[in-house]
């Protein structure tokens, strides 16, 4: 049969992967029968238990399509025109023809050393300020699948805002990191959280090392360790601080950090604070990583050529700006070959990918003990705040006494801890409720991504990731898109220059298990109209137009195309 | 009726022009400045073409010895 990939043998049957999102084929030698499996994720997990680890994961396609050339030209043209007008406006402000709204020094201080570097803020002053109404919108309800946005107006082109007092109700939320829908305020679900608040209060008033080590913290740490399949774990009150305060405890001067190009600021900050040497490899590029590893092993430290004390590879599970998933099996193989350590930041992927929500380790069917330091946050999929680091017992015990965050930062608040406990038990199925959320998220992801690709948008990233960046490229279109979507009562997050490369501005959609199919259909319908109105459909791929199977008249909201 | 459609189409094309050149982000008086500069430059080019094109075409044809 055409285009199948042989995966391995399992119980006398040869297993083939057939390139379709739902099917997997098997051929049984004994009975000489061909059959079909659904849900290849489960099959892959079962197979990897019995056959070699890491060789049987399904190759999910990742795409980073390039736009046509005219798009890049127009993007630069747009930025060029705005820059010219920026210079013109700066000139007017310097001459005094226009009132200057930004911080200025006083007249008496003109002969001192300048306090404000004007040119550094050029971009902020002349581009961001003009269109600032698309960011920092005040929200006045729970950030669930729908929320309320407060309306604001600006009389002087976004230098100042004033609230009108009205709210835009029931805006569909496509920007919150609410992957499993745990951002809820239902009294029944939150009963245990309320009980714990009554028991412990809200503030802990101490650090973990002093008086702040509550029994509920220990309970959560054991649950996190069981959830991930590792020996032990430690929790921290803030997700960003988990990275930035613990990496300095793990590596120091004389160590080497190999970090991915697109790592999050918390990882970069932690790496810089530690004082180790940092080498950057191209995003998800295993040849680049291997070359750096060989260089590290061969040449050692820069001047003395002594061997590095430690080599730490830092990667993330899902990169939130691209939607791409790390190539974990390749990295684990490289790490074993070159004797390096691996630090995996699963901020966006824990709870959101994998058949039962255990993250990228489960997605690829790897053994959790292969990853030396597993880190994650509770902000995204668990609807709470804070982070964890998990791994071997010796590692976690070392961090308990040597990490800045453990020693100096305030411990996690009890209701937040209980929320994480409740969410984790729900995902694991321990409290009796059905484990439907992870599957619902996977269905929503596949549906949304496939429909968007059919429509002709350029989407980045892996087909399994719930983060969907739609490329908009031109600065004018980015702003018009955000405003038009809000007018249609859909809240999106658009990202522009400093966070992304200058030509690749995008709108980032975060799917949630709490989104119903009706909401997704509404969003897709509006995206289709806006895509035609603003000419955003740049993709040059040919997708066969499937017959319209997704009616809005359907009563069921769990069905998916097959 | 036809005027309505034509007007809508022209209006949509103007909207695309505004988006692509990022004039959408600028204030109305800045758009006015840019549009007037663009129209004046384009107008001058068209006028120059209108005035000098016949002479240029005759010169080219004479160079190629097609016409005396």
């Amino acid at each position: 049969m055409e285009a199948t990939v042989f995966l391995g043998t399992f119980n006398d049957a040869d297993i083939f992967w057939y390139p379709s999102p739902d099917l997997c084929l098997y051929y049984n030698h004994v009975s000489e029968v061909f059959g079909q499996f659904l849900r290849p994720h489960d099959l892959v997990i079962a197979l990897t238990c019995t056959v070699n680890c890491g060789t049987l994961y399904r190759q999910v396609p990742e795409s980073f399509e390039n736009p046509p050339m005219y798009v890049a030209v127009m993007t630069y043209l747009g930025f060029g025109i705005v820059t010219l007008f920026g210079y013109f406006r700066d000139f007017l402000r310097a001459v005094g023809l226009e009132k200057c709204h930004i911080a200025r020094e006083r007249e008496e201080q003109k002969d001192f050393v300048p306090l404000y570097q004007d040119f550094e803020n050029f971009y902020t002053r002349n581009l961001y300020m003009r269109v600032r109404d698309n960011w920092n919108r005040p929200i006045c309800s729970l950030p669930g699948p729908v929320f309320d946005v407060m309306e604001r107006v600006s009389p002087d082109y976004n230098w100042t805002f004033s609230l009108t007092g009205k709210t835009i109700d029931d805006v569909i939320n496509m920007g919150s990191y609410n992957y499993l829908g745990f951002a809820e305020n239902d009294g029944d679900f939150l009963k245990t959280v309320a009980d714990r608040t009554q028991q412990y209060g809200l503030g802990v008033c101490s650090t973990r090392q002093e008086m702040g080590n509550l029994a509920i913290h220990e309970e959560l740490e054991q649950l996190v360790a069981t959830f991930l399949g590792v020996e032990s774990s430690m929790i921290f009150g803030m997700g960003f601080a988990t990275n930035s305060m613990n990496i300095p405890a793990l590596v120091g001067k004389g160590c080497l950090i190999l970090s991915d190009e697109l790592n999050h600021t918390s990882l970069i900050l932690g790496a810089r604070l530690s004082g180790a040497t940092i080498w950057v490899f191209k995003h998800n590029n295993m040849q680049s990583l291997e070359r750096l590893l060989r260089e590290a092993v061969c040449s050692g430290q820069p001047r003395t050529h002594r061997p590095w004390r430690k080599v730490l590879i830092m990667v993330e599970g899902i990169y939130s700006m691209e939607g791409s998933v790390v190539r974990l099996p390749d990295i684990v193989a490289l790490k074993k070959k070159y004797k390096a350590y691996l630090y995996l930041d699963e901020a966006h992927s824990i709870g959101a990918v994998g058949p039962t929500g255990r993250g990228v380790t489960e997605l690829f069917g790897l053994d959790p003990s292969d990853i030396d330091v597993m880190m994650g946050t509770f902000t995204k999929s668990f609807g709470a705040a804070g982070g964890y680091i998990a791994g071997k017992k010796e590692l976690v015990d070392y961090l308990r006494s040597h990490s800045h965050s453990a020693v100096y930062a305030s411990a996690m608040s009890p209701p937040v801890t209980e929320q994480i406990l409740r969410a984790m038990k729900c995902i694991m199925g321990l409290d009796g409720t059905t484990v439907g959320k992870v599957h619902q998220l996977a269905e929503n992801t596949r549906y949304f991504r496939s429909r968007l690709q059919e429509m002709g948008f350029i989407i980045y990233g892996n087909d399994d990731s719930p983060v969907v960046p739609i490329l908009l490229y031109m600065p004018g279109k980015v702003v018009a898109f955000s405003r038009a979507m809000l007018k249609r009562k859909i809240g999106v997050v658009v990202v522009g220059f400093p966070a992304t490369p200058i030509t690749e501005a995008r709108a980032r959609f975060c799917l949630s298990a709490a989104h119903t199919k009706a909401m997704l259909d509404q969003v897709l319908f509006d995206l289709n109209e806006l895509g035609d109105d603003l000419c955003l459909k740049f993709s040059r791929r040919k997708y066969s137009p499937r017959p319209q199977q997704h009616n809005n008249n359907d009563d069921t909201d769990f069905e998916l195309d097959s | 009726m036809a005027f309505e459609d034509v007007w809508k189409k022209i209006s949509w094309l103007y909207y695309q022009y505004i988006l692509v050149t990022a004039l959408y982000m600028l204030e109305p008086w800045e758009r006015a400045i840019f549009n007037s500069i663009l129209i004046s430059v384009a107008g001058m080019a068209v006028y120059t073409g209108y005035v000098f094109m016949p002479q240029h075409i005759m010169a080219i044809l004479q160079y190629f010895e097609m016409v005396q």
Side-chain angles (χ1 to χ4, degrees):
Chain A
M1 66 194 79
E2 76 289 347
T4 52
V5 174
F6 175 65
L7 294 181
T9 318
F10 179 66
N11 277 354
D12 285 335
D14 286 339
I15 315 294
F16 297 89
W17 173 63
Y18 184 72
S20 138
D22 286 318
L23 292 185
C24 203
L25 302 173
Y26 70 88
Y27 173 65
N28 189 315
H29 292 289
V30 174
S31 58
E32 290 181 32
V33 160
F34 273 107
Q36 286 179 352
F37 280 122
L38 287 176
R39 291 190 183 278
H41 285 296
D42 305 335
L43 176 63
V44 168
I45 300 302
L47 288 176
T48 50
C49 294
T50 56
V51 196
N52 290 340
C53 170
T55 55
L56 290 188
Y57 65 95
R58 189 180 71 151
Q59 294 267 12
V60 183
E62 281 195 7
S63 66
F64 295 95
E65 192 187 336
N66 276 329
M69 175 64 90
Y70 68 86
V71 171
V73 169
M74 286 181 188
T75 310
Y76 280 122
L77 173 73
F79 272 111
I81 291 178
V82 178
T83 311
L84 282 177
F85 272 98
Y87 283 127
F88 177 57
R89 293 291 289 267
D90 273 350
F91 167 71
L92 288 184
R93 283 185 201 115
V95 162
L97 283 173
E98 190 189 328
K99 180 166 170 308
C100 189
H101 295 267
I102 54 172
R104 274 258 144 125
E105 293 164 356
R106 289 162 44 204
E107 280 302 310
E108 299 88 357
Q109 289 175 321
K110 282 257 296 280
D111 295 324
F112 289 25
V113 171
L115 198 56
Y116 304 107
Q117 291 276 32
D118 281 334
F119 195 72
E120 271 175 8
N121 296 329
F122 181 82
Y123 180 82
T124 310
R125 204 168 49 234
N126 291 310
L127 196 70
Y128 178 69
M129 281 297 182
R130 290 184 192 270
V131 291
R132 188 158 79 111
D133 62 308
N134 294 311
W135 289 276
N136 297 331
R137 291 183 182 139
I139 298 172
C140 55
S141 81
L142 169 79
V146 292
F147 61 169
D148 303 335
V149 177
M150 302 205 69
E151 209 182 322
R152 36 179 201 173
V153 291
S154 171
D156 53 355
Y157 297 103
N158 295 340
W159 285 99
T160 59
F161 288 109
S162 55
L163 299 170
T164 60
K166 292 201 293 237
T167 59
I168 311 176
D169 288 334
D170 291 332
V171 177
I172 299 181
N173 184 0
M174 298 303 289
S176 287
Y177 303 134
N178 187 14
Y179 297 133
L180 294 178
F182 279 115
E184 53 201 355
N185 56 1
D186 193 326
D188 296 329
F189 293 141
L190 296 179
K191 189 156 184 338
T192 49
V193 178
D195 291 340
R196 294 289 192 168
T197 313
Q198 292 225 317
Q199 182 187 355
Y200 284 109
L202 284 171
V204 186
C205 309
S206 182
T207 68
R208 286 294 295 276
Q209 285 232 327
E210 293 171 10
M211 285 284 186
N213 196 17
L214 307 176
I216 196 175
H217 293 146
E218 311 250 320
E219 190 186 335
L220 178 59
E221 285 177 357
Q222 276 174 345
L223 188 65
V224 169
T226 320
F227 181 73
L228 295 169
V230 289
E231 285 176 25
S232 101
S233 79
M234 176 163 189
I235 57 173
F236 303 93
M238 182 179 162
F240 188 99
T242 310
N243 268 332
S244 52
M245 297 293 116
N246 285 307
I247 296 178
L250 293 173
V251 291
K253 222 153 142 358
C255 301
L256 176 65
I257 292 182
L258 296 173
S259 114
D260 190 292
E261 207 179 9
L262 299 177
N263 268 341
H264 191 252
T265 313
S266 56
L267 290 164
I268 299 178
L269 185 63
R272 286 188 188 159
L273 278 177
S274 67
T277 311
I278 307 174
W279 288 353
V280 173
F281 63 93
K282 292 207 175 32
H283 177 59
N284 250 354
N285 188 333
M286 297 299 112
Q287 286 84 14
S288 175
L289 177 60
E290 181 161 18
R291 195 165 1 102
L292 288 182
L293 277 167
R294 290 173 89 94
E295 175 78 27
V297 168
C298 294
S299 2
Q301 299 191 26
R303 275 162 310 153
T304 56
H305 292 291
R306 286 195 203 148
W308 293 101
R309 280 177 38 213
K310 238 179 283 192
V311 177
L312 184 68
I313 305 174
M314 285 196 327
V315 286
E316 292 187 35
I318 289 185
Y319 292 90
S320 64
M321 273 306 151
E322 313 280 312
S324 55
V325 172
V326 67
R327 293 213 188 140
L328 203 55
D330 299 339
I331 293 191
V332 168
L334 276 175
K335 140 187 134 78
K336 286 183 179 160
K337 182 175 169 190
Y338 291 99
K339 311 273 188 308
Y341 295 105
L342 181 57
Y343 185 102
L344 180 65
D345 176 349
E346 292 208 78
H348 286 267
S349 53
I350 191 72
V353 293
T356 55
R358 262 44 167 195
V360 285
T361 328
E362 193 189 23
L363 182 69
F364 291 109
L366 294 175
D367 186 7
S369 59
D370 279 339
I371 320 267
D372 303 294
V373 188
M374 298 179 82
M375 177 265 169
T377 60
F378 300 118
T379 329
K380 296 43 197 214
S381 302
F382 299 95
Y388 66 85
I389 288 203
K392 297 239 166 9
K393 191 168 182 319
E394 295 89 11
L395 169 77
V396 178
D397 286 344
Y398 177 81
L399 278 179
R400 275 187 217 281
S401 47
H402 286 87
S403 154
H404 296 284
S405 184
V407 174
Y408 296 109
S410 171
M412 200 186 260
S413 174
V416 172
T417 320
E418 178 55 35
Q419 159 73 7
I420 304 169
L421 275 168
R422 155 185 107 81
M424 214 172 251
K425 284 182 188 160
C426 181
I427 296 177
M428 291 164 83
L430 289 179
D431 62 344
T433 60
T434 54
V435 187
K437 293 190 195 249
V438 180
H439 287 299
Q440 178 70 42
L441 178 66
E443 304 283 349
N444 283 358
T445 306
R446 273 191 289 179
Y447 177 56
F448 199 73
R449 274 185 175 263
S450 62
R451 282 292 300 276
L452 280 178
Q453 279 176 331
E454 261 175 54
M455 284 181 195
F457 290 99
I458 295 188
I459 315 278
Y460 273 6
N462 194 305
D463 281 342
D464 280 338
S465 103
V467 178
V468 187
I470 298 183
L471 273 285
L472 301 174
Y473 299 106
M474 299 174 216
K477 292 195 180 179
V478 160
V479 173
F481 183 81
S482 179
R483 287 182 189 153
M485 287 298 257
L486 186 61
K487 225 187 257 146
R488 288 161 186 259
K489 308 239 287 195
I490 299 174
V492 298
V493 169
V494 293
V495 208
F497 165 51
T500 64
I502 195 158
T503 44
E504 292 177 13
R506 58 199 74 174
R508 184 179 67 175
F509 287 78
C510 293
L511 296 167
S512 164
H515 284 134
T516 60
K517 190 160 173 305
M519 286 181 206
L520 289 182
D521 283 335
Q522 171 71 34
V523 173
L524 287 164
F525 175 72
D526 284 321
L527 274 175
N528 201 9
E529 282 200 345
L530 266 185
D532 289 328
D533 202 22
L534 295 174
C535 291
L536 293 173
K537 298 187 178 175
F538 300 119
S539 179
R540 284 172 291 185
R541 297 213 179 143
K542 302 281 182 296
Y543 281 93
S544 59
R546 287 198 295 216
Q548 268 290 26
Q549 296 169 352
H550 324 289
N551 321 332
N552 286 337
N553 302 331
D554 267 352
D555 290 330
T556 57
D557 49 87
F558 201 90
E559 273 310 272
L560 189 57
D561 59 285
S562 280
Chain B
M1 216 38 219
F3 280 141
E4 284 275 341
D5 294 335
V6 170
W7 182 246
K8 268 207 199 127
K9 185 86 174 133
I10 293 181
S11 175
W12 183 79
L13 282 172
Y14 179 65
Y15 184 52
Q16 294 305 310
Y17 156 74
I18 291 271
L19 284 176
V20 162
T21 55
L23 288 180
Y24 182 83
M25 296 199 282
L26 302 180
E27 298 172 24
W29 60 273
E30 289 168 329
R31 280 188 209 173
I33 292 181
F34 184 84
N35 285 338
S36 26
I37 293 177
L38 188 68
I39 289 178
S40 51
V41 166
M44 285 190 274
V46 167
Y47 177 71
T48 312
Y50 173 73
V51 166
F52 287 107
M53 202 50 84
Q55 296 175 336
H56 285 209
I57 293 178
M58 290 306 288
I60 292 173
L61 288 178
Q62 280 181 350
Y63 179 75
F64 283 122
E65 289 163 23
M66 286 178 177
V67 111
Q68 243 52 21

